[in-house]
Amino acid sequence: MTIDFTQIFQQDSVLVIFTIIAIGYLIGNIRIARFEIGVTGGVLLCALMFGHYGYTIDPIVQAIGFTLFIYSVGWQAGPQILNVMRQDGPKYLVLTIFMAGGSFLLVLGLAWMTGLSNSFSAGLMAGSLTSTPTLVGAQNAVSSGLVAPAAGQTQNSLIESISVAYAITYIFGTVGLLLIVKLLPNLLRVDLAAAAETFANERGFKQENVEDTIDRPILRAYLIDDPDLDGLTIAQALTARSPKEISVRSLYRLKRGAELIDPEPSTIIEVGDKVAVFATPEEHAKARDLYNLGAEVLDRDLIDAVVDVAEVVVTNPYAVGKSLEQLGIYERHGCYLTRITRSQIQLPLATGTVVQRGDVMILTGERRALDRAISELGAEDRKAVETDLLTFAAGIVFGLLLGQITVRIGEIDVGIGTAGGLLVAGICVGFLRANRPTFGRMPAAARFIMMELGLLLFMVGVGLNAGGGIANAIGSVGPVLFLSGVIVTCLPLLCGYVFGRLALGMNPALLLGALTGAMTSTPALGIVQQAAKSTVPALGYAGTYALANVLLTLAGTLIMLL
């Protein structure tokens, strides 16, 4: 029996799609030194190869991928759109506009000098900045009819040109950006580690690796047999020996005879009482030494507690804009903050970290204490397998309809297009979700698969469309596109660094993080954090990333309209 794999693949486009994604994942995870092109680049390269040999897929697959991805981009950006105006927000806003606007004007200038068409220019900007939203915006401007093909052109030829330019410039856009952010601090003789430490000291941050320093709290019970504690209130005992070592909220329960007592600052201590303490192992040791607690006891009434982990979305105006020190989650409620993320980027667990609406906190504590903390912070995003597909689908429908609306100005019909409509709808739903966590439930795993699968389906279509014409394009405009891509990758980043330092006065570690966010490059953020030996750059990344996705999507559409 002879198996003709070529024929099998030609007859089954689903097989082609998932073969490309699987091989692309393998290619994207190949690491040379500290560099890797990532899953998106791996899928693109694999799709180009398949496209070169004539494989195609139904256009509806790419359309579905585009819809899922761009809507998810807006959904993720929604909670942070207003946050960029708080604390360092104006700097992030100005820097993002400077980077997006500067890159846009640079691309137009290079296109004018080299004679590149709008379609090649859009692909040039998308690939050089490794900005998939720009690519989505440009291709959708064509496929939605927002841009009419010139004489002798078709929608397919324009989309192919965008894809080809993106493919030619993407590789250097990825690797080149990583090289620049790695080498730039050395070339400018900037000590990123020292800069991060300086910023951390100014804001009250700690420099330790968060994952390495978190001790998980445990519940233990002790006998109180120190006569010096007899007759004192809990507040007096804490104040007399060390008010900072252990909080009254860490005292889970007190037992006197058969009576169970919820500890309060005014609760009087008696010799013979038993106390349950919810704290880290280190704090348990300190508590025993400081308060001369007696032997550890096994009393099920005391240690039979519900210790839980909660994922909390910050929505309460009381918490928004306050630092972790001001919130005092541990001091006030006896709960442990083990992680805080913003736009899926982990932030430093430091007293100076300022909380913003839509941030997600992971808290560990006794269930009643958790409920008290949650009511003060926002709402718990309960672990559920269900996704509110009604809201998800309705948001997409709203975005698609919004994209169809046009306004006639003179002889020209002006609209935001499908990409713009989906982006606006995603932003609205994401913003409402951040303020009303019971609305539009979507667990983190569901968000990831929607956005990642949408992106990869779209990239499969891009690569297959470009594969057939990339060989000819490399021979004709390839060198021009590649050299232009090098300029667009390097120059905005260098100018952005100078602008950020001189005009905005930003800390170098924070600035480089913000620049990688403005160029939507998570791998580059990893390089910066390694050099800084700190998570401080993640604050800058989170400050620019959301707005950059929106602006770069609009830039792709605008280039095609010119």
Side-chain angles (χ1 to χ4, degrees):
M1 178 181 178
T2 302
I3 300 177
D4 189 341
F5 284 101
T6 301
Q7 185 178 5
I8 292 175
F9 276 89
Q10 287 175 344
Q11 294 175 347
D12 193 341
S13 59
V14 176
L15 180 61
V16 172
I17 292 169
F18 286 98
T19 299
I20 291 173
I21 291 176
I23 297 175
Y25 254 91
L26 293 175
I27 295 173
N29 289 323
I30 294 174
R31 180 175 291 235
I32 300 175
R34 291 187 178 181
F35 301 105
E36 59 184 34
I37 63 173
V39 173
T40 303
V43 170
L44 176 62
L45 287 177
C46 187
L48 286 171
M49 181 183 68
F50 274 75
H52 179 69
Y53 288 102
Y55 291 97
T56 60
I57 59 172
D58 193 315
I60 191 63
V61 175
Q62 185 176 353
I64 291 174
F66 147 77
T67 300
L68 292 176
F69 173 71
I70 203 66
Y71 178 77
S72 297
V73 166
W75 195 99
Q76 182 173 288
Q80 302 302 329
I81 290 296
L82 296 181
N83 288 341
V84 296
M85 298 305 296
R86 296 187 177 96
Q87 199 180 16
D88 295 317
K91 293 182 179 180
Y92 295 142
L93 176 65
V94 171
L95 183 64
T96 307
I97 293 174
F98 177 86
M99 291 292 291
S103 300
F104 177 79
L105 294 176
L106 178 60
V107 167
L108 293 184
L110 289 172
W112 176 76
M113 293 174 59
T114 59
L116 292 175
S117 65
N118 285 2
S119 54
F120 278 134
S121 300
L124 165 65
M125 182 171 182
S128 302
L129 302 181
T130 64
S131 172
T132 309
T134 302
L135 177 66
V136 171
Q139 289 201 351
N140 178 254
V142 177
S143 60
S144 66
L146 196 61
V147 174
Q153 294 180 324
T154 64
Q155 282 191 352
N156 288 338
S157 66
L158 287 177
I159 290 175
E160 181 179 296
S161 296
I162 296 170
S163 301
V164 165
Y166 178 83
I168 291 175
T169 56
Y170 179 84
I171 301 301
F172 183 83
T174 301
V175 178
L177 179 59
L178 295 180
L179 286 172
I180 293 171
V181 298
K182 183 176 179 63
L183 297 176
L184 186 61
N186 293 330
L187 293 175
L188 297 178
R189 297 182 179 179
V190 174
D191 187 341
L192 279 189
E197 185 176 359
T198 299
F199 182 84
N201 292 334
E202 292 173 353
R203 298 293 177 89
F205 289 179
K206 297 179 181 178
Q207 291 297 298
E208 300 91 5
N209 186 305
V210 171
E211 295 296 329
D212 293 341
T213 58
I214 292 176
D215 289 324
R216 306 302 175 187
I218 56 178
L219 186 65
R220 291 176 178 171
Y222 304 97
L223 175 68
I224 298 178
D225 56 5
D226 183 358
D228 291 339
L229 296 177
D230 190 45
L232 296 180
T233 65
I234 289 177
Q236 289 171 335
L238 290 174
T239 303
R241 304 206 176 181
S242 180
K244 296 183 179 180
E245 295 297 339
I246 193 164
S247 164
V248 65
R249 292 301 183 185
S250 298
L251 305 180
Y252 168 64
R253 189 172 288 171
L254 197 72
K255 187 174 183 181
R256 182 170 298 154
E259 181 186 5
L260 292 174
I261 302 171
D262 289 329
E264 296 292 340
S266 58
T267 301
I268 296 176
I269 302 171
E270 294 182 8
V271 171
D273 287 348
K274 299 175 184 176
V275 62
V277 180
F278 185 69
T280 65
E282 180 182 346
E283 288 169 333
H284 275 287
K286 289 180 179 179
R288 292 192 66 173
D289 292 340
L290 285 169
Y291 304 107
N292 196 25
L293 297 177
E296 186 173 349
V297 296
L298 179 62
D299 189 317
R300 295 192 180 278
D301 291 336
L302 284 174
I303 62 176
D304 186 18
V306 178
V307 179
D308 205 351
V309 177
E311 183 175 316
V312 185
V313 182
V314 177
T315 60
N316 195 328
Y318 164 80
V320 173
K322 290 188 176 180
S323 67
L324 294 181
E325 182 178 28
Q326 291 172 318
L327 290 177
I329 297 172
Y330 171 68
E331 290 77 11
R332 292 168 59 84
H333 306 290
C335 297
Y336 290 78
L337 175 63
T338 59
R339 176 172 295 191
I340 179 170
T341 60
R342 180 177 302 153
S343 296
Q344 300 183 14
I345 299 298
Q346 187 173 347
L347 302 181
L349 288 183
T351 55
T353 298
V354 176
V355 175
Q356 296 183 357
R357 186 180 304 276
D359 287 354
V360 178
M361 292 182 173
I362 306 298
L363 299 181
T364 301
E366 188 270 326
R367 188 66 248 181
R368 293 178 301 172
L370 282 176
D371 290 339
R372 290 195 300 267
I374 291 168
S375 66
E376 192 172 88
L377 296 171
E380 181 176 2
D381 193 2
R382 296 187 180 276
K383 295 180 180 179
V385 295
E386 299 89 359
T387 294
D388 186 356
L389 287 177
L390 172 61
T391 300
F392 188 84
I396 290 177
V397 170
F398 171 68
L400 293 173
L401 293 176
L402 187 63
Q404 301 298 317
I405 299 174
T406 59
V407 178
R408 179 169 288 274
I409 302 177
E411 299 294 325
I412 303 175
D413 290 331
V414 179
I416 61 176
T418 304
L422 287 169
L423 199 63
V424 170
I427 289 172
C428 292
V429 174
F431 180 77
L432 291 174
R433 163 71 178 155
N435 288 273
R436 298 286 185 272
T438 56
F439 167 81
R441 183 180 305 282
M442 188 184 295
R447 293 198 299 270
F448 174 81
I449 194 64
M450 291 289 187
M451 191 167 182
E452 185 81 351
L453 183 60
L455 172 60
L456 295 184
L457 289 176
F458 179 77
M459 293 307 298
V460 168
V462 169
L464 293 177
N465 287 334
I470 193 167
N472 293 332
I474 290 176
S476 57
V477 295
V480 173
L481 278 172
F482 181 80
L483 291 175
S484 298
V486 172
I487 295 173
V488 176
T489 298
C490 299
L491 191 57
L493 182 63
L494 298 175
C495 292
Y497 184 84
V498 173
F499 178 76
R501 290 289 292 144
L502 299 182
L504 303 179
M506 296 181 69
N507 178 280
L510 192 71
L511 174 59
L512 277 177
L515 290 173
T516 60
M519 299 182 79
T520 65
S521 176
T522 304
L525 171 64
I527 296 292
V528 176
Q529 290 193 134
Q530 287 177 359
K533 300 177 182 178
S534 169
T535 56
V536 162
L539 294 169
Y541 183 95
T544 57
Y545 176 77
L547 183 60
N549 272 301
V550 176
L551 294 181
L552 291 174
T553 302
L554 299 177
T557 302
L558 188 56
I559 287 179
M560 296 305 300
L561 290 172
L562 295 177

